[in-house]
Every structure is written in C-alpha cells, then in structure tokens.
C-alpha cells in the first residue's frame, strides 16, 4: 500500500495561514492567489477539503497491489484511469492557480475585499475555522497517475505517467518554491504596509495630541470669555447702582445747598474768630504727632539694631570658631611636622654649578604645580674604577612638603607659612626652624637682608606684620591680643640675651631656663628682656639690636658665620571679654647654627680649638633635636628635652600640641654637596615623623 503524500492544496494552507503579514487582493492584472483563496475560505466559512495524496513517502518501498499489477499489464487502461482521477480531483477540488502573473479575463469574478487584519487575530480566526471545519468525504485511493505540474504562463501541463513519481515530486517542489516566493513577496509587501500603518498611527497620535491641546486652549478661551461676560454684567449692574446713588446724592446736594444759603451768613461770622485758633491748634497737633512718631520710630530702630548687633555678634563668634576649627584641620591635614627645602641662589664670585647638579622635578599636578622633589647628582672622584675610567654619577632623590628653587623670593616663602603663623593666634604653639650648613641662607630666610628693603624681609618681620594685621581684624569681633617678644641665643650650651642694651649688655647674671611658676608649664629665661610689641617698627628695632649682639665668627665656609642658635619667641595672649574666653601660645622662630661636620685632619691652633668646641656643641644640640623629634614620633614615654638647652627651651613648641615647620637650606655649589646631602638626609628623617594632633591652649 502506497502512503499518501500531502497534495499542493494541503501544503499551501500551512505556508499561507499566517495572516499577520497582510494580503493584497483584487490587484488588476493578477489572478486570485492561494493566500487570497485561503482568506476567502476563512471569511466565507468555506470548508477546506483535504485531498489524499498518492505520492509515496521517501524511504518507503513501492509495493504493487493486485490492481496495480493489473494496471501494469494494461497500460492504456491505467492511463485512462489516471486521467479520470485527475479530472475528478480537479472537478471536486479546484486547484489554486499558479503564482504567475496573468491578466484577468473578462467575466472573472474577483475575490471580495476582506478588511485587513493583524497577525494574531487573523491566525486565531484561521485556527477557529480549521478547528470547526468538518472533514470532507475521503477520496478513495487510486493508482498513482501522472499528475501534470502547473505551468507558468497559462500553458497546459504536460502529462506525466503515473509511475513517474520523481517527476511528480519535482513538479510539486517547483510549485512549492513558487508558493514560497509568492509568500516572501507578500511578506515584504505586508511589512511595507505595516510600516506605513505605523507612520499613519504616529501621525494620528500627533494630530490627536495637537487636537487635545487645541481643545484645551479652546475650553480655556471659552471659560475666559464667560468670565469676561460675567464681569461685564457685574460692571453694568454696578454702573446702574452708582447712577442711582448719584441721583440720590444730587438730590441731597440740592437740599444741602439750600440749607447752606441759610447757614452761610452764620458761618462767616464764626469763621473769622475760629480760623486763627484752628490754625494754631493744627500746627501744634501736627508737631506733636510728628515728634511722637519720630520717637517711636527711633525706639524701634534702636531695638532692631541692638537685636541685630547681638545676632551678628553670635554669628561672627560662631563663624570665627568654625574658621579656627577648619583652619586647624587644614594645618593638621598638611602635617603637624612639615619640612620645606630652600636652595639659595649662586652669589657673585661663586662658580656656576653644572646643569644637572640640582634638578627640581614637577609637582604631582604637572609643571604648574609647585615642586616637592629635589634631585642631587654626585660624582665622587675617589670611587674610580679599575680601568681608570671616572666613577659614574650618583643621583640622590628627596621629597619634601615643598621645594623652593633658587629663584624663589621671600614673599613666596612666607606665603606658604602664613596660615601656620596665624594658628598661633588661635592658641596653637608654633615653631619654625631654619636648618642647614654655614652659608646656606638660614639667617637670610629668618631675618632677611640688610638695608631695610621690603622685598628681602625675612620670616620674622613678615610674621609679626601678619599677626598684627589679623589681630586688628579680630578686634572687631571682641578679641584683644597682647604680644611680648624675647630674643636669645644658645652659644656653647649657654643662654644669652640678644636684646640686652646699655649697662645690661654682658651683665645682669647668667641666663637660665626656669618655670614661670609652681605647677606652670610655661618656661621663661631669667635675666632676659621681655619686650611688649604692638607695631612693626618696634620689631625692626629689636632685630637690629639682636644682629649686633649675636655671636659670629669666620669659618672656612662663610666670612661671617653664626656660631649659635638664635631663638625669637613671641608670647601671644588673647581674650574675649564678652564671652570670657582666653587663649595663649608661643610663636618660636629659630635660626639654627651651621651644621658642619668635623674634619679629623684639621690642625688645631688656638682659634681652631675654639671653633672645634663650637662645632661640637652645635652638632650635639642638633643631634638632641633629632632625638627629641624621633621620640615624639615614636610616642616614647621619655623625651630627652633636657639633653640640650635648645630642646629644653623649646619643649612647649615641640610636643604633641604644637605645630612645627623646618626649612632645610642648602647651597647650590658642587663643592658643598657632602654637607648638602647630610642636611637633606636629616630633613627627610624629620619629614617622616608624625607627632599627633595639635590642641589649642584655651581657658
């Protein structure tokens, strides 16, 4: 028995049942397509007849039945029967025309126009029709006949023998390919129509929105018109009412005019006597009311101003406290121990260093950012190679909080420490050091150059000028400040007063460091002058006296070298009488002595022995300063303040409640590279120390 194969009529509904792509119908010059036929069946509820197929399934053997054996013996009868079967199938189930374009003949009825449906609804409708459709009477199985494939152009199909199943299958595949091409064409047309439909829907939505906007505008205009009409009616009614009142008033006026004629004579007599009295009374009342109003206004204004002053004072005090807190927080973020490096310029008569000796790399933010690093190149001739070639250059890199190249001025240097100096007014102890070898510019940095040139003023006069200016500004907020200055030097572990003048110079007993009182943490120097200062001229006079009294000597590095540590201290005391607040802190500006190392091969004469003792005392005190800073950084229980007069005098400015800044001054000359590297290494160790959070001395 030959298995039934699906006929073209059964394949086509499967291919064209998706109505979501849309179907064009009634096109002129094109016959009714299979898709249109299916839509017609769906719309007109016509049942689709499922015709049995006589094509064998692939992979199955063709087995002849007895009747087929008979047909094989009778070819003429078989062909006749095959033709009859084809004719009967064509009569009972008309085939869909081929997908070839052919002109529509006259009298041919076009398919009724069906409203366009979208995919899901059309698919649902077809599924419903196919579900409700009753299967037609099954056609009895016949012998395979030569089914002629549909030909394009309306030509009659060529008859194939019934045994030519491969040819029939090729015809069916060709017809299926035609249907697929037609389906693809219809899908493309459907997609175009859907795009047009979407554009039309978008235009419709836009027009709908515009229509709603115009309708809202029209409703608003109509409401305004109705409101205007209502107001117009109210105004007309009011006009009528006013006209009635006017008529009534006119009548009253006429009556009053008649009465006025009778009273006019009497009024004339009384007017003459009362006119002067009324004039005087009005003048007195006006003056009295004006005075009372002015007094009341002044009282209110005075009360408002008093309240505003109180409120402003509270606000200013709160802002000042907040400024101090933020200012201290900013300084803490920068570090309670900061180290700046300053390279002095080459002086006249000194050799110019090689270009790569000192390098100043750019800061973290690029060339515009101030430099924070310094590179020193060193070539040691003693480290020659075995081949006799010169030793390679060694580069040493250092990093600090700020590096000042030789071209930096005094104003740029002070700009970096101005905020730190101001912390002393807020009650924080501040100590600023100038460290370095002899001739590196320490005294120039702290005191400035000679001649009184404002451009070369040092940190001490600039710091005092800044403090006086800020204290005057804070005076408007209720703060009053007093400043007491002292200037001493430590020479060979002996304290000397640099402000001694006249008969006190070199007399008055030895200066000693003592507590200010029992239980007090404040240190004072006995037999030393403490001078109150309030202006810049007084500070300049003190600096002039100190320069003349300071111990200097000639060294191999400098013609006039400072052989002692000079300590300028300014005790600051502030008070806010209105709030009962007090604060006080010292500002210490220290010019350290030159930090040269001892030369073991130096011939010791009388003068050299004195220089040797000075150098030993200087290096001992500088070593103690480094030990104190390291002990504070390591939070050690014992800090060796008393190992040196310098650290003992400055212990209140070095502890955990103080802010410290060190300037390491170096020479730009290559001959001083060893001392410069020692100074830079010491400053790097100090820069790595952290002494904790500073606390203000307030009461």
């Amino acid at each position: 028995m030959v298995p039934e194969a699906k006929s073209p009529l059964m394949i086509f509904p499967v291919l064209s049942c998706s109505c979501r792509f849309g179907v064009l119908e009634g096109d002129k010059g094109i016959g009714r397509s299979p898709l249109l036929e299916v839509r017609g069946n769906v719309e007109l509820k016509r049942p689709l007849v499922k015709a049995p197929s006589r094509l064998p399934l692939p992979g199955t053997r063709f087995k002849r039945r007895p009747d087929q054996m008979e047909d094989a013996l009778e070819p003429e009868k078989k062909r006749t029967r095959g033709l009859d079967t084809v004719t009967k199938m064509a009569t009972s189930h008309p085939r869909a025309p081929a997908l070839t374009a052919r002109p529509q003949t006259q009298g041919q009825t076009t398919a009724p126009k069906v409203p366009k449906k979208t995919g899901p609804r059309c698919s649902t409708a077809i599924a419903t029709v196919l579900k409700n459709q009753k299967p037609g009477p099954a056609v009895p199985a016949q012998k395979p006949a030569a089914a002629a494939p549909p030909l394009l152009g309306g030509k009659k199909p060529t008859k194939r023998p019934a045994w030519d199943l491969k040819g029939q299958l090729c015809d069916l595949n060709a017809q299926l390919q035609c249907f697929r091409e037609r389906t693809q064409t219809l899908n493309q047309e459907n997609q175009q129509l859907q795009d047009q439909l979407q554009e039309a829907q978008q235009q419709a939505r836009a027009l709908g929105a515009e229509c709603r906007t115009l309708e809202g505008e029209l409703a608003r205009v109509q409401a305004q018109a109705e409101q205007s009409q209502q107001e117009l009616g109210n105004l007309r009614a009011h006009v009528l009412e006013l006209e009635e009142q006017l008529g009534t008033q006119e009548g009253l006026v006429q009556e009053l005019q008649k009465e006025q004629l009778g009273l006019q004579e009497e009024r004339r007599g009384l007017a003459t006597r009362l006119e002067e009295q009324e004039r005087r009374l009005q003048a007195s009342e006006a003056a009295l009311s004006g005075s009372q109003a002015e007094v009341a206004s002044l009282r209110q204004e005075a009360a408002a101003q008093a309240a505003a002053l109180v409120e402003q004072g509270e606000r200013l005090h709160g802002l000042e406290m907040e400024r101090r807190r933020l200012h201290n927080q900013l300084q803490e973020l920068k570090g309670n121990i900061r180290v700046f490096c300053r390279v002095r310029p080459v002086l006249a008569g000194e050799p110019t260093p090689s270009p790569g000796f000192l390098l100043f790399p750019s800061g973290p933010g690029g060339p515009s950012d101030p430099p924070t690093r310094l590179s020193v190149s060193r070539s040691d001739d003693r480290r020659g190679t075995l081949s006799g070639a010169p030793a390679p250059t060694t580069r040493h890199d250092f990093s600090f909080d700020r590096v000042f190249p030789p071209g930096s001025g005094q104003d740029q240097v002070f700009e970096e420490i101005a905020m730190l100096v101001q912390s002393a007014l807020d009650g924080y102890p501040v100590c600023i050091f100038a460290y370095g070898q002899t001739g590196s510019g320490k005294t120039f940095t702290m005191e400035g150059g000679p001649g009184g040139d404002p451009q070369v003023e040092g940190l001490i006069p600039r710091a005092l000028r800044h403090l006086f200016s800020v204290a005057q500004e804070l005076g408007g907020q209720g703060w009053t400040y007093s400043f007491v200055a002292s200037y001493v030097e430590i020479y060979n572990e002996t304290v000397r007063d640099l402000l001694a003048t006249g008969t006190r110079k070199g007399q008055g007993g030895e200066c000693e460091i003592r507590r200010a009182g029992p239980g007090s943490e404040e240190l004072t120097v006995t037999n030393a002058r403490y001078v109150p200062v309030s202006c810049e001229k007084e500070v300049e006079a003190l600096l002039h006296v100190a320069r003349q009294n300071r111990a200097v000597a000639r060294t191999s590095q400098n013609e006039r070298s400072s052989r002692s540590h000079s300590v300028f201290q300014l005790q600051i005391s502030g008070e806010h009488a209105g709030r009962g607040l007090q604060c006080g802190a010292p500002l210490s500006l220290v010019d350290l002595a030159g930090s040269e190392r001892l030369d073991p091969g130096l011939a010791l004469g009388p003068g050299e022995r004195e220089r040797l003792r000075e150098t030993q005392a200087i290096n001992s005190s500088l070593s103690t300063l480094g030990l104190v800073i390291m002990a504070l950084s390591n939070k050690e229980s014992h800090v060796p303040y008393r190992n040196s007069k310098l650290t003992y005098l400055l212990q209140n400015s070095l502890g955990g409640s103080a802010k410290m800044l060190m300037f390491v001054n170096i020479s730009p000359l290559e001959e001083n590279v060893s001392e410069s590297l020692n100074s830079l290494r010491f400053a790097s160790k100090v820069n790595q120390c952290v002494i904790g959070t500073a606390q203000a001395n307030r009461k």
Side-chain angles (χ1 to χ4, degrees):
M1 182 178 180
V2 180
E4 295 182 357
K6 294 183 180 179
S7 65
L9 289 179
M10 291 310 298
I11 296 174
F12 176 73
V14 175
L15 296 174
S16 61
C17 65
S18 177
C19 297
R20 60 182 177 183
F21 299 106
V23 179
L24 293 176
E25 58 183 357
D27 295 338
K28 295 181 179 181
I30 302 175
R32 178 173 298 179
S33 63
L35 287 176
L36 193 59
E37 184 68 25
V38 173
R39 283 189 64 176
N41 294 338
V42 173
E43 296 293 337
L44 300 177
K45 305 295 184 177
R46 290 188 299 180
L48 297 176
V49 179
K50 182 176 180 181
S53 175
R54 302 194 179 279
L55 294 179
L57 293 176
T60 58
R61 293 186 177 182
F62 183 80
K63 298 181 180 182
R64 295 179 180 271
R65 295 176 297 181
D67 54 353
Q68 293 176 349
M69 297 296 293
E70 184 180 356
D71 291 338
L73 297 177
E74 298 177 2
E76 291 296 331
K77 183 178 180 179
K78 179 179 180 181
R79 283 196 295 270
T80 304
R81 187 181 303 170
L83 292 178
D84 294 341
T85 305
V86 173
T87 305
K88 185 181 298 183
M89 290 177 62
T91 304
S92 60
H93 303 287
R95 297 171 59 90
L99 295 178
T100 57
R102 60 181 179 182
Q104 184 176 358
T105 58
Q106 295 182 0
Q108 183 179 358
T109 60
T110 61
K113 295 185 178 181
V114 182
K116 194 176 300 182
K117 297 182 179 180
T118 57
R121 297 175 60 185
C122 183
S123 301
T124 306
I126 293 178
T128 305
V129 171
L130 294 178
K131 182 177 180 180
N132 298 331
Q133 183 178 6
K134 297 180 179 180
V139 180
Q142 298 179 359
K143 299 178 181 179
L151 299 180
L152 301 178
K155 296 181 180 181
K156 293 182 179 180
T158 304
K159 295 181 180 180
R160 291 183 180 274
W163 51 267
D164 192 2
L165 298 178
K166 184 175 181 180
Q168 294 178 9
L169 181 61
C170 292
D171 295 341
L172 291 177
N173 290 334
Q175 186 177 4
L176 177 61
Q177 183 66 26
C178 293
F179 288 161
R180 287 178 178 173
E181 292 177 357
R182 181 60 178 171
T183 302
Q184 183 177 4
T185 304
L186 293 177
N187 290 341
Q188 294 177 357
E189 294 176 357
N190 183 28
Q191 183 65 31
Q192 295 177 359
L193 292 177
Q194 284 185 352
D195 295 342
Q196 295 177 2
L197 177 59
Q198 291 179 358
E199 293 179 0
Q201 289 177 351
Q202 293 178 358
Q203 294 179 0
R205 285 194 293 270
L207 293 176
E210 184 177 1
C211 180
R212 287 191 296 271
T213 304
L214 294 176
E215 288 177 355
E217 186 70 19
L218 178 61
R220 186 178 61 81
V221 171
Q222 289 177 352
Q224 292 181 355
E226 292 177 359
Q227 184 178 1
S228 301
Q229 290 292 338
Q230 185 177 1
E231 292 178 355
L232 181 60
N234 295 336
L235 291 175
R236 287 177 179 175
H238 188 59
V239 168
L240 294 176
E241 183 180 355
L242 292 177
E243 289 178 353
E244 293 178 359
Q245 293 179 1
L246 180 60
T248 305
Q249 294 294 334
E250 288 179 353
L252 294 176
V253 168
Q254 292 177 0
E255 293 179 0
L256 292 175
Q257 288 178 353
K258 293 179 181 180
E259 294 179 1
Q260 183 181 8
L261 293 176
L263 299 174
Q264 189 173 7
E265 294 296 333
E266 184 180 359
R267 186 188 64 81
R268 291 174 182 175
L270 297 175
T272 304
R273 291 186 303 173
L274 296 178
E275 185 176 3
E276 186 66 22
Q277 295 179 359
E278 289 178 352
R279 192 177 295 116
R280 292 177 182 177
L281 181 60
Q282 290 176 358
S284 300
E285 291 177 351
L288 180 60
S289 61
S291 300
Q292 292 176 350
E294 184 177 0
V295 170
S297 177
L298 291 176
R299 288 178 178 175
Q300 293 179 357
E301 185 177 357
Q305 290 180 353
L309 287 176
V310 173
E311 182 180 0
Q312 191 71 14
E314 293 291 337
R315 182 180 179 186
L316 288 177
H317 177 70
L319 292 177
E320 175 62 17
M321 293 296 103
E322 182 67 11
R323 182 201 65 78
R324 295 191 179 196
R325 185 185 67 80
L326 295 177
H327 177 79
N328 179 60
Q329 185 177 2
L330 176 61
Q331 297 302 316
E332 289 179 356
L333 291 176
K334 291 182 178 180
N336 287 334
I337 294 184
R338 284 182 281 171
V339 178
F340 292 170
C341 178
R342 186 179 188 185
V343 182
R344 71 166 177 85
V346 179
L347 303 180
E350 293 180 345
T352 303
S354 59
F357 174 59
L358 292 177
L359 296 178
F360 303 90
S362 302
S368 60
D369 198 15
T372 58
R373 293 180 295 167
L374 173 67
S375 297
V376 181
S377 298
R378 180 180 183 180
S379 179
D380 193 352
D381 297 334
R382 295 174 299 178
R383 298 175 57 191
T385 60
L386 297 177
S387 61
T393 302
T394 304
R395 178 167 298 279
H396 303 272
D397 297 327
F398 300 92
S399 178
F400 302 100
D401 296 296
R402 177 68 190 273
V403 176
F404 295 93
S408 302
Q410 296 281 68
D411 54 345
Q412 297 178 358
V413 175
F414 179 74
E415 184 179 1
E416 286 294 328
I417 69 167
M419 301 301 290
L420 180 63
V421 171
Q422 188 172 344
S423 297
L425 288 177
D426 300 338
Y428 296 93
V430 177
C431 185
I432 300 177
F433 291 97
Y435 174 83
Q437 71 175 106
T438 299
S440 59
K442 302 186 301 298
T443 304
F444 178 81
T445 299
M446 299 304 295
E447 298 181 4
D453 186 3
Q455 297 296 328
V456 295
E457 283 184 340
L459 299 183
I460 295 177
R462 291 177 184 270
L464 270 295
R465 184 186 306 115
H466 181 71
L467 290 177
F468 292 151
S469 176
V470 176
Q472 186 176 1
E473 294 177 1
L474 294 177
Q477 302 180 14
W479 286 93
T480 57
Y481 287 92
S482 60
F483 305 91
V484 179
S486 64
Y487 210 169
V488 299
E489 71 172 356
I490 301 174
Y491 176 74
N492 286 342
E493 290 302 304
T494 302
V495 181
R496 296 179 179 180
D497 184 14
L498 295 179
L499 300 182
T501 57
T503 58
R504 297 184 68 257
K505 187 174 182 180
Q507 299 178 3
E510 185 178 0
C511 296
E512 295 292 337
I513 304 173
R514 295 287 186 268
R515 298 283 181 181
S520 176
E521 295 294 333
E522 184 179 355
L523 296 176
T524 60
V525 179
T526 59
N527 298 323
R529 289 183 61 194
Y530 286 85
V531 183
V533 292
S534 59
C535 63
E536 302 173 16
K537 293 183 178 180
E538 296 176 354
V539 176
E540 293 175 0
L542 295 179
L543 294 179
H544 179 70
V545 174
R547 291 193 191 99
Q548 296 178 350
N549 295 336
R550 189 171 183 186
V552 294
R554 177 186 177 89
T555 63
S556 59
Q557 301 291 337
N558 194 5
E559 177 69 21
R560 184 177 174 84
S561 174
S562 300
R563 308 306 299 162
S564 64
H565 308 301
S566 66
V567 181
F568 178 87
Q569 283 191 322
L570 184 70
Q571 187 65 38
I572 304 173
S573 299
E575 181 179 7
H576 194 295
R579 301 184 180 277
L581 299 177
Q582 294 181 355
C583 65
L587 171 64
S588 302
L589 303 172
V590 184
D591 180 9
L592 298 174
S595 59
E596 290 84 21
R597 292 179 298 174
L598 294 175
D599 189 358
L602 182 65
L604 298 179
E608 285 75 15
R609 292 192 183 94
E610 184 66 22
R611 301 288 82 80
L612 176 61
R613 286 194 298 270
E614 293 173 358
T615 303
Q616 289 175 344
I618 292 171
N619 292 339
S620 176
S621 61
L622 293 178
S623 299
T624 302
L625 177 61
L627 293 176
V628 168
I629 295 176
M630 293 299 295
L632 292 173
S633 176
N634 296 332
K635 304 294 188 298
E636 296 180 4
S637 59
H638 173 70
V639 181
Y641 290 118
R642 292 180 177 269
N643 291 359
S644 171
K645 293 290 182 68
L646 175 65
T647 56
Y648 184 47
L649 178 62
L650 298 176
Q651 63 176 335
N652 292 334
S653 300
L654 299 177
S657 62
K659 300 178 184 295
M660 188 178 69
L661 172 66
M662 175 178 287
F663 277 95
V664 53
N665 299 77
I666 64 173
S667 171
L669 305 180
E670 295 185 49
E671 61 186 17
N672 299 328
V673 63
S674 297
E675 296 295 338
S676 298
L677 289 176
N678 290 333
S679 300
L680 292 173
R681 291 189 182 102
F682 177 80
S684 297
K685 292 181 181 179
V686 175
N687 193 31
Q688 296 174 1
C689 297
V690 178
I691 61 176
T693 304
Q695 297 180 357
N697 295 329
R698 297 175 184 171
K699 300 179 182 179

